[in-house]
Amino acid sequence: MATPTGKAATLNPQASKRVLPRDASSEVPGKRKNPNPTSTLPRPSGPFVEGSIVRIAMENFLTYDICEVSPGPHLNMIIGANGTGKSSIVCAICLGLAGKPAFMGRADKVGFFVKRGCSKGLVEIELFRTSGNLVITREIDVIKNQSFWFINKKPVTQKIVEEQVAALNIQVGNLCQFLPQDKVGEFAKLSKIELLEATEKSIGPPEMHRYHCELKNFREKEKQLETSCKEKTEYLEKMVQRNERYKQDVERFYERKRHLDLIEMLEAKRPWVEYENVRQEYEGVKLVRDRVKEEVRKLKEGQIPMTRRIEEIERQRRTLETRIKEKATEIKEASQKCKQRQDIIERKDRHIKELQQALTVKQNEEHDRQKRISNTRRMIEDLQNELRTAENCENLQPQIDAITNDLRRVQEEKGLCEGEIIDKQREKEMLEKQKRSVSDHIIRFDNLMNQKEDKLRQRYRDTYDAVLWLRNNRDRFKQRVCEPIMLTINMKDNKNAKYVENHISSNDLRAFVFESQEDMEVFLKEVRDNKKLRVNAVIAPKISYADKAPSRSLNELKQYGFFSYLRELFDAPDPVMSYLCCQYHIHEVPVGTERTREKIERVIQETRLKQIYTAEEKYVLKTSFYSNKVISSNTSLKVAQFLTVTVDLEQRRHLEEQLKEINRKLEAVESGLVALRDTNKHLELKDNELRLKKKELLERKTKKRQLEQKISSKLGSIRLMEQDTCNLEEEERKASTKIKEINVQKAKLVTELTGLVKICTSLHIQKVNLILQNTTVISEKNKLEADYMASSSQLRVTEQQFIELDDNRQRLLQKCKELMRRARQVCNLSADQAVPQEFQTQVPTIPNGHSFTPPMAFQDLPNTLDEIDALLTEERSRASCFTGLNPTVVEEYTKREIEIQQLTEELKGKRVELDEYRENISQVKERWLNPLKELVEKINEKFSNFFSSMQCAGEVDLHTENEEDYDKYGIRIRVKFRSSTQLHELTPHHQSGGERSVSTMLYLMALQELNRCPFRVVDEINQGMDPINERRVFEMVVNTACKENTSQYFFITPKLLQNLPYSEKMTVLFVYNGPHMLEPNRWNLKAFQRRRRRITFTQPSQ
């Protein structure tokens, strides 16, 4: 059934997908928003087996928006053109039943299975169960790449879903049950061992694969035990032989050991003898120490009375010193009072002196006043004489007026000149400020230009060297030559640099632009031929394209999110802009935003633009020459590298011209300032001359007036001085009265001072008496302390003697303990261990009060050190006669004897364990191998029958090289498609693709009737078959899959041959795809069938 031809799928991602069942009663829901997408359909009444698929629902999954599929219980044939979404249903089954995304061979992340542009997707599988259908829902989150699982609308974990699926014997990872399109070729690549394992899991009893695994584990353990027993037996025999060789050396070693034991016994007794000698010395020192200790006690008792007397005298001394301190405090207080009275008397004396000095000052002032009056009168007489001789000055006023007029005129000219100087200075400051600002801008432009040139130098060194050469040789060219385009382009906004760099090739970005072919040839000859530099050069069009208008107004494109054409994003010289418009059509390429990306389908269909830019992508559109369809390709934009630095060269040239104009104005202002300063200096000299002349005339005119004013001032001063008179007699009387009052107060203070002095003297006498008493007490204390020191000296000598004796005692005690420790150590006795009675002899006393008895073995040995040393020398000589004996030999001999015994026991246990494993292997092998052989025989019978019906031959057998290597067992498939050849094993290389497909399909069909899995999926396995084999295989699939009591079967294919046999139990599902499909909610299969019947009935009448 054909579908209408539509646009390419890439241009219509909104195109709906629909799966249509053949049965008119099973209508597929349309593309609608289901308020409860997880609701189950009514339970089918057909003969579904436990675990068969009843319903498949998809939402935003791969090519589908919303779709539900209702398969039949037997053979389900899914047919549709390539790319319509057949394999999407297979993916939905796999992922919906907890399959791994990588198994499909499409993507390794589950998020890639969600429809592009959607954030979430959903797959829902309804499985048949007699106790109630099981609905498994998987929601896929694209952003987190996570899945959320539900069983019958209740959230669960993926592990629970896997357990539920496994309980129904569904194995989506088993190629014998689930063979997706991308895994068809891998089935033939399965090894014999892998094929056996897949077959066991698919059709064998549940315990068959478990028995096989147990056999492999048992066999592995059996091999390990056999190897271990063999190694241990060989090792045991070697150790027994080695011990026989060293037996005589061991006997000689033990003979020598008997002499060494006697030496050890003598060396053990020697510390006990040494201990006894030291212990007796210790007892003697202890008696002397106790006697000296008694003497020390008596001397200490004799010092007690002297100590008490010294303490009593010390208390008296402290009491006297306390009283002396109290008297000293009282004397200090009396002295302070005396000093206070003396200070007051001294202040009274100073007051009297001040009164006398004040009277003297007034007397001197009166004398000076009389003297000043006399001097002032003489000065008045002199001034009157000078006034009489002064000349008449009335004829000087006209000269003063003329000079005043000249001075006013000069000052006005000077003010104007100074104003002009201030204006010029302000203008100069403003120009200098402008100059600094312009210079700073030029420096910033140079820094930015240097950044662009540095990037050019680092990336294209030859182009950079050519730029330097061009700047030094511009006079050799007749017309304008532009530096590389990347240096001349100036972006208006750095964020838009990525569009320009992605649009213009890197070769043109570093190309020089010429207006003349002759100039370009001169440049290339010099740079390429002579300097061997690799550079690019282009010629701008003769007719300028720089101002060419775009074919569509930008206002028309703003509705799609476009904000500018490429040309408006940057500035460039006219030749560069003309070349880019001509070559790259930058005036026709719009730039959009993220909103453009969201509306990209409308933009492509409605605008018919050839190139467009969105926020992060570039789209190139072409029209197919054959189908007239628009084909689009998009690429992500690369990050801008060169044009992110913006340098406006026109603005820099404007700034340089502005700087020259400012410098010219500064020179003019500076020359004007020099002329104004010279004029101002001349006016200042003239002003000073006029002021001097006016000052002389004014002084001559005002001299008489000044003399009169001075005479009047002096007369006023005389009157003031005569008024300021002083009565000296009255002042002397007041001073005498105050002095008498002060003398009376002073006499009273002297009387108080005398009384305080007497008190202070009495306190000093009392203090002296206390000091004498204290001296007597101290003298008596010193005498007692001298006697005490003499007694203490004798006590110290005795105590020192006691300490020395005690140290000696402690040393001997420690030595006794050390000797005791050594003796016990030699006898291998612990500190608290008692020696058994049968090994005891004499009982020495240990210094700590305990008793210890050495071993009785000592009783037959000498009791003196000399005898012990002599016997030691003799035994050592005898022991030295046994040479060439190695103690390690005896140790190894003993160790091997122990190890031989241990190995014997261990080997016995290993052999018992090995027998048990062999018994287990025999039992499990019988339970596994016999049913497996029967199963393989059944598969072989059906497989051979299928091949015979196709006039070919094929067989399946259980293959192994060694019957005991259970991990090497496998199923071998051998086929032949031509009578002239022999049976060959099915491999990925020997047979053709079609032969492998036929073999795979027939093997799966041989498993179909034996299968205990609820359904099987095979995707496009007939692609490589020739028509004859495809027809035969199809007939077998229909006959086998449509039998009673067989499991559900999904057969996916993009095409079918004509006149194929079909069965009433088949369910055919057609997948349609195209832009002219009806909306899903408008599709009605029954109405479609009624219209088709009406058309059929009306055709004969026409």
Side-chain angles (χ1 to χ4, degrees):
M1 185 178 293
T3 59
T5 303
K7 297 180 182 178
T10 57
L11 299 182
N12 189 11
Q14 301 289 335
S16 62
K17 304 260 179 148
R18 180 181 298 121
V19 177
L20 298 180
R22 184 183 178 192
D23 187 0
S25 62
S26 56
E27 180 182 349
V28 178
K31 182 180 176 183
R32 62 185 182 274
K33 297 298 180 180
N34 189 351
N36 188 9
T38 60
S39 62
T40 61
L41 295 174
R43 183 179 301 175
S45 59
F48 284 93
V49 300
E50 191 82 2
S52 297
I53 298 176
V54 176
R55 180 175 59 89
I56 306 168
M58 296 165 284
E59 182 177 345
N60 297 331
F61 186 79
L62 290 175
T63 57
Y64 293 101
D65 292 332
I66 295 178
C67 181
E68 284 192 8
V69 179
S70 300
H74 297 291
L75 175 62
N76 292 274
M77 185 175 298
I78 303 176
I79 304 174
N82 289 328
T84 55
K86 305 183 301 301
S87 297
S88 298
I89 299 175
V90 178
C91 294
I93 295 173
C94 178
L95 297 180
L97 297 177
K100 304 298 181 184
F103 179 72
M104 304 304 301
R106 291 196 173 194
D108 56 350
K109 293 183 179 180
V110 71
F112 291 148
F113 288 87
V114 177
K115 187 173 182 180
R116 185 177 181 183
C118 299
S119 61
K120 290 185 178 180
L122 180 140
V123 176
E124 187 172 273
I125 307 292
E126 184 175 356
L127 302 175
F128 177 77
R129 274 194 325 191
T130 55
S131 61
N133 285 4
L134 181 71
V135 180
I136 300 174
T137 307
R138 182 175 190 169
E139 291 185 0
I140 304 171
D141 191 323
V142 177
I143 298 174
K144 298 180 180 178
N145 193 38
Q146 291 182 347
S147 297
F148 303 95
W149 295 90
F150 301 87
I151 292 182
N152 294 335
K153 303 181 184 180
K154 297 180 181 179
V156 294
T157 62
Q158 182 174 348
K159 185 177 180 181
I160 295 176
V161 174
E162 292 172 351
E163 292 173 354
Q164 293 282 353
V165 170
L168 295 172
N169 199 30
I170 297 174
Q171 306 168 22
V172 293
N174 190 341
L175 294 181
C176 290
Q177 178 179 348
F178 199 92
L179 191 62
Q181 178 181 353
D182 297 324
K183 296 290 183 177
V184 172
E186 292 188 12
F187 186 88
K189 297 179 183 178
L190 289 177
S191 66
K192 295 187 286 293
I193 298 171
E194 292 172 337
L195 184 59
L196 173 60
E197 183 178 355
T199 304
E200 286 178 341
K201 292 179 179 178
S202 178
I203 64 172
E207 65 276 5
M208 178 175 287
H209 182 65
R210 178 169 54 83
Y211 286 155
H212 191 185
C213 294
E214 289 180 0
L215 276 175
K216 289 190 283 187
N217 294 334
F218 286 157
R219 177 56 182 162
E220 185 66 25
K221 189 64 177 178
E222 181 187 14
K223 290 180 180 179
Q224 295 176 1
L225 288 172
E226 288 175 350
T227 304
S228 177
C229 288
K230 183 178 178 181
E231 292 175 352
K232 290 183 183 296
T233 302
E234 294 174 354
Y235 184 60
L236 180 61
E237 292 174 355
K238 290 180 181 178
M239 286 200 299
V240 171
Q241 294 172 2
R242 189 177 299 174
N243 264 17
E244 287 297 327
R245 290 198 301 269
Y246 291 112
K247 188 173 183 180
Q248 187 177 358
D249 290 342
V250 172
E251 291 176 353
R252 293 180 67 247
F253 175 81
Y254 281 115
E255 180 69 20
R256 177 175 176 270
K257 190 174 183 303
R258 283 192 291 272
H259 293 288
L260 294 178
D261 289 342
L262 181 57
I263 293 171
E264 184 179 358
M265 188 65 68
L266 290 170
E267 290 176 346
K269 183 172 182 179
R270 196 175 190 284
W272 290 104
V273 176
E274 290 180 350
Y275 165 74
E276 182 61 24
N277 294 337
V278 175
R279 187 188 66 79
Q280 292 175 3
E281 183 182 357
Y282 166 80
E283 293 296 335
V285 172
K286 183 180 178 184
L287 292 175
V288 177
R289 168 191 169 273
D290 293 340
R291 186 173 64 252
V292 174
K293 183 178 180 181
E294 183 65 20
E295 293 179 3
V296 171
R297 184 185 63 77
K298 292 179 180 179
L299 289 172
K300 286 183 178 180
E301 290 177 354
Q303 285 183 338
I304 293 174
M306 285 189 289
T307 304
R308 291 175 180 172
R309 179 58 183 164
I310 290 171
E311 290 175 354
E312 183 180 352
I313 292 173
E314 178 64 21
R315 286 195 294 272
Q316 293 178 6
R317 185 188 64 79
R318 285 198 293 269
T319 302
L320 289 172
E321 285 183 352
T322 302
R323 292 177 63 190
I324 289 170
K325 289 180 182 178
E326 292 174 354
K327 294 299 178 183
T329 302
E330 293 176 359
I331 291 170
K332 183 178 180 181
E333 293 176 354
S335 299
Q336 288 177 351
K337 291 180 180 179
C338 290
K339 188 174 184 308
Q340 291 174 358
R341 299 300 186 276
Q342 288 176 350
D343 292 341
I344 295 173
I345 292 171
E346 289 177 357
R347 286 199 294 274
K348 296 296 181 183
D349 290 339
R350 285 197 296 272
H351 192 189
I352 291 171
K353 289 181 180 179
E354 289 173 358
L355 291 173
Q356 292 174 348
Q357 289 174 357
L359 180 61
T360 303
V361 168
K362 289 182 178 180
Q363 291 174 349
N364 293 335
E365 288 177 352
E366 180 62 22
H367 177 71
D368 292 339
R369 187 177 66 80
Q370 293 297 332
K371 188 176 180 180
R372 286 199 305 276
I373 291 172
S374 176
N375 292 334
T376 302
R377 285 176 178 169
R378 284 196 298 271
M379 289 174 65
I380 290 172
E381 290 177 0
D382 294 337
L383 289 172
Q384 288 175 349
N385 292 332
E386 187 177 357
L387 179 62
R388 284 193 293 269
T389 59
E391 65 178 352
N392 187 8
C393 299
E394 293 178 359
N395 56 352
L396 296 176
Q397 187 61 38
Q399 298 179 22
I400 293 172
D401 294 339
I403 291 173
T404 301
N405 292 332
D406 292 340
L407 184 62
R408 186 181 299 110
R409 180 179 54 79
V410 169
Q411 287 177 347
E412 289 175 357
E413 292 178 1
K414 183 181 176 183
L416 292 174
C417 184
E418 288 177 348
E420 291 180 4
I421 290 173
I422 291 171
D423 292 340
K424 291 289 183 182
Q425 287 177 342
R426 289 176 179 171
E427 183 179 359
K428 180 181 178 182
E429 291 175 357
M430 183 180 66
L431 289 172
E432 287 177 345
K433 185 176 180 181
Q434 292 177 358
K435 181 180 179 181
R436 286 194 299 272
S437 176
V438 172
S439 299
D440 291 341
H441 276 81
I442 292 174
I443 290 172
R444 285 197 292 272
F445 275 118
D446 290 342
N447 291 336
L448 293 174
M449 194 65 186
N450 290 336
Q451 292 180 20
K452 296 181 74 172
E453 292 176 2
D454 286 342
K455 290 184 177 181
L456 179 65
R457 178 174 54 80
Q458 294 171 5
R459 186 71 179 272
Y460 308 110
R461 184 56 187 256
D462 288 357
T463 306
Y464 176 75
D465 294 339
V467 170
L468 298 181
W469 182 88
L470 175 63
R471 292 175 180 175
N472 295 327
N473 297 275
R474 285 192 180 274
D475 54 346
R476 297 179 58 177
F477 301 99
K478 297 178 181 180
Q479 296 187 24
R480 186 175 181 181
V481 180
C482 296
E483 293 182 357
I485 294 177
M486 67 172 63
L487 296 181
T488 56
I489 283 181
N490 181 48
M491 298 302 303
K492 296 179 180 179
D493 189 342
N494 296 343
K495 294 185 295 185
N496 299 324
K498 58 184 179 182
Y499 303 117
V500 180
E501 287 198 22
N502 279 272
H503 192 72
I504 304 173
S505 68
S506 60
N507 288 334
D508 278 354
L509 278 176
R510 57 191 177 96
F512 294 81
V513 182
F514 294 84
E515 293 183 335
S516 167
Q517 179 71 28
E518 182 181 354
D519 287 344
M520 188 174 75
E521 291 175 357
V522 171
F523 175 80
L524 293 178
K525 181 178 181 181
E526 181 65 31
V527 174
R528 281 187 180 173
D529 300 341
N530 298 339
K531 295 186 174 294
K532 307 298 181 183
L533 299 178
R534 291 176 296 177
V535 297
N536 296 334
V538 296
I539 297 181
K542 293 182 180 180
I543 301 174
S544 178
Y545 285 77
D547 298 324
K548 188 175 181 180
S551 59
R552 301 187 62 169
S553 172
L554 184 62
N555 293 329
E556 298 178 14
L557 301 177
K558 285 185 178 179
Q559 60 176 322
Y560 304 109
F562 294 106
F563 63 89
S564 175
Y565 284 103
L566 274 179
R567 183 177 62 184
E568 277 67 42
L569 297 180
F570 62 91
D571 296 325
D574 188 73
V576 175
M577 188 68 77
S578 177
Y579 172 77
L580 294 178
C581 289
C582 177
Q583 186 69 21
Y584 289 95
H585 307 286
I586 58 175
H587 62 293
E588 295 284 359
V589 179
V591 181
T593 60
E594 189 61 33
R595 190 158 65 93
T596 309
R597 172 66 186 83
E598 296 172 358
K599 299 180 177 181
I600 191 64
E601 295 175 6
R602 283 186 55 204
V603 174
I604 292 172
Q605 293 176 359
E606 298 176 6
T607 62
R608 295 292 180 174
L609 294 168
K610 294 184 178 180
Q611 293 187 61
I612 57 176
Y613 284 89
T614 63
E616 298 295 336
E617 291 180 320
K618 174 184 178 181
Y619 286 80
V620 179
L621 311 177
K622 296 180 180 179
T623 303
S624 175
F625 180 77
Y626 299 100
S627 63
N628 201 30
K629 294 181 180 179
V630 178
I631 302 172
S632 69
S633 63
N634 62 308
T635 55
S636 298
L637 297 181
K638 300 178 182 177
V639 180
Q641 298 180 357
F642 300 105
L643 303 182
T644 54
V645 179
T646 302
V647 180
D648 192 342
L649 297 179
E650 291 296 332
Q651 187 177 358
R652 188 183 184 283
R653 283 194 292 271
H654 176 70
L655 289 172
E656 288 179 348
E657 293 174 359
Q658 188 176 354
L659 183 62
K660 291 179 182 178
E661 180 66 20
I662 291 171
N663 289 331
R664 186 187 62 75
K665 290 181 179 180
L666 276 174
E667 291 176 359
V669 170
E670 190 65 34
S671 61
L673 274 174
V674 172
L676 288 172
R677 288 193 182 104
D678 292 341
T679 303
N680 188 55
K681 186 176 181 181
H682 176 71
L683 292 173
E684 279 188 12
L685 293 174
K686 191 172 182 181
D687 180 82
N688 291 336
E689 290 176 0
L690 292 173
R691 285 180 183 279
L692 289 173
K693 290 180 181 179
K694 184 177 179 181
K695 183 178 180 182
E696 291 176 357
L697 292 175
L698 288 174
E699 286 177 352
R700 290 171 59 189
K701 181 180 178 181
T702 58
K703 188 173 183 181
K704 178 179 178 182
R705 189 184 307 158
Q706 290 174 354
L707 291 173
E708 291 174 350
Q709 289 176 354
K710 287 181 180 180
I711 292 171
S712 175
S713 175
K714 296 299 181 182
L715 290 173
S717 297
I718 289 174
R719 284 193 297 272
L720 291 173
M721 285 186 290
E722 288 176 348
Q723 291 174 0
D724 188 17
T725 58
C726 179
N727 191 350
L728 290 176
E729 293 179 357
E730 182 63 25
E731 293 296 330
E732 289 175 357
R733 185 184 61 75
K734 289 180 180 178
S736 177
T737 302
K738 289 182 180 180
I739 290 171
K740 287 179 181 179
E741 292 176 354
I742 293 170
N743 284 332
V744 172
Q745 296 174 2
K746 185 177 176 183
K748 184 178 180 182
L749 289 170
V750 170
T751 303
E752 293 178 356
L753 179 59
T754 303
L756 290 172
V757 169
K758 290 179 180 179
I759 294 171
C760 189
T761 303
S762 174
L763 291 172
H764 275 291
I765 293 172
Q766 294 176 11
K767 181 181 177 183
V768 170
N769 291 334
L770 291 172
I771 290 173
L772 291 174
Q773 293 177 16
N774 189 35
T775 303
T776 303
V777 170
I778 291 173
S779 176
E780 184 179 358
K781 178 187 175 186
N782 291 338
K783 182 176 179 301
L784 288 171
E785 287 178 347
D787 295 340
Y788 181 79
M789 290 300 293
S791 175
S792 297
S793 177
Q794 183 180 359
L795 177 60
R796 280 195 300 274
V797 172
T798 308
E799 286 179 341
Q800 183 63 32
Q801 185 180 1
F802 171 76
I803 291 170
E804 292 174 356
L805 289 170
D806 192 61
D807 290 343
N808 192 18
R809 183 189 69 85
Q810 291 290 342
R811 180 181 60 78
L812 291 173
L813 178 61
Q814 292 299 326
K815 189 174 181 180
C816 286
K817 291 181 178 180
E818 179 64 23
L819 290 172
M820 173 62 72
R821 186 188 62 77
R822 285 171 53 193
R824 296 179 69 89
Q825 186 177 0
V826 170
C827 295
N828 293 324
L829 298 174
S830 61
D832 55 351
Q833 185 178 358
V835 179
Q837 186 67 31
E838 59 269 17
F839 295 104
Q840 294 181 1
T841 178
Q842 58 183 351
V843 183
T845 303
I846 301 175
N848 59 9
H850 300 285
S851 62
F852 173 75
T853 304
M856 288 184 66
F858 291 167
Q859 65 186 357
D860 296 331
L861 300 177
N863 293 323
T864 64
L865 291 175
D866 295 337
E867 293 174 350
I868 290 173
D869 291 339
L871 186 57
L872 273 172
T873 302
E874 180 182 353
E875 290 299 321
R876 284 171 181 163
S877 298
R878 291 179 180 177
S880 63
C881 295
F882 295 90
T883 59
L885 298 177
N886 190 354
T888 57
V889 173
V890 180
E891 292 177 3
E892 291 176 359
Y893 178 86
T894 307
K895 188 185 298 183
R896 277 194 293 272
E897 284 292 331
I898 298 172
E899 194 171 353
I900 287 170
Q901 184 178 359
Q902 292 176 350
L903 273 175
T904 304
E905 295 295 329
E906 188 176 350
L907 187 58
K908 183 179 178 182
K910 290 287 184 183
R911 286 171 178 166
V912 172
E913 187 179 358
L914 180 59
D915 293 339
E916 292 177 355
Y917 269 102
R918 286 173 177 168
E919 181 64 25
N920 291 335
I921 289 174
S922 177
Q923 295 175 1
V924 176
K925 180 180 178 181
E926 184 177 355
R927 290 196 296 266
W928 170 71
L929 189 56
N930 294 334
L932 178 62
K933 288 180 178 179
E934 294 176 1
L935 184 64
V936 173
E937 284 297 327
K938 293 178 181 178
I939 297 173
N940 179 51
E941 180 182 355
K942 295 183 180 295
F943 187 76
S944 299
N945 292 336
F946 288 146
F947 263 87
S948 297
S949 65
M950 296 176 60
Q951 287 78 44
C952 300
E955 66 179 27
V956 176
D957 61 356
L958 186 64
H959 178 266
T960 182
E961 296 177 359
N962 184 0
E963 188 177 353
E964 300 299 326
D965 291 337
Y966 304 107
D967 56 342
K968 300 296 178 59
Y969 274 78
I971 289 181
R972 180 174 59 179
I973 301 176
R974 296 193 298 165
V975 296
K976 74 171 183 176
F977 289 88
R978 287 166 290 278
S979 59
S980 60
T981 61
Q982 299 294 325
L983 286 170
H984 288 282
E985 186 176 348
L986 180 65
T987 64
H989 313 292
H990 191 276
Q991 289 81 14
S992 66
E995 291 171 347
R996 290 198 302 272
S997 298
V998 170
S999 302
T1000 301
M1001 195 66 189
L1002 294 184
Y1003 183 80
L1004 295 178
M1005 294 307 302
L1007 301 181
Q1008 177 68 14
E1009 294 182 5
L1010 304 175
N1011 197 6
R1012 62 186 181 89
C1013 62
F1015 65 86
R1016 177 174 286 111
V1017 177
V1018 179
D1019 189 1
E1020 295 192 16
I1021 199 170
N1022 60 337
Q1023 284 295 85
M1025 298 182 188
D1026 58 77
I1028 297 175
N1029 287 332
E1030 183 177 354
R1031 182 177 298 277
R1032 291 173 178 174
V1033 169
F1034 184 84
E1035 291 176 0
M1036 295 178 190
V1037 170
V1038 172
N1039 295 332
T1040 305
C1042 293
K1043 290 182 179 180
E1044 294 294 334
N1045 300 323
T1046 59
S1047 59
Q1048 194 177 34
Y1049 202 99
F1050 289 88
F1051 185 81
I1052 293 90
T1053 179
K1055 47 89 177 178
L1056 286 176
L1057 300 175
Q1058 294 181 354
N1059 301 321
L1060 290 174
Y1062 295 94
S1063 171
E1064 291 297 329
K1065 295 181 180 180
M1066 290 176 58
T1067 300
V1068 182
L1069 303 172
F1070 295 94
V1071 182
Y1072 292 93
N1073 174 23
H1076 303 293
M1077 295 292 294
L1078 288 176
E1079 291 294 328
N1081 54 2
R1082 293 172 56 193
W1083 177 261
N1084 189 325
L1085 184 60
K1086 293 181 179 179
F1088 175 78
Q1089 292 174 337
R1090 287 196 299 271
R1091 288 196 299 273
R1092 179 61 183 170
R1093 284 195 292 271
R1094 285 199 299 270
I1095 293 172
T1096 304
F1097 292 153
T1098 57
Q1099 280 179 351
S1101 63
Q1102 294 177 353

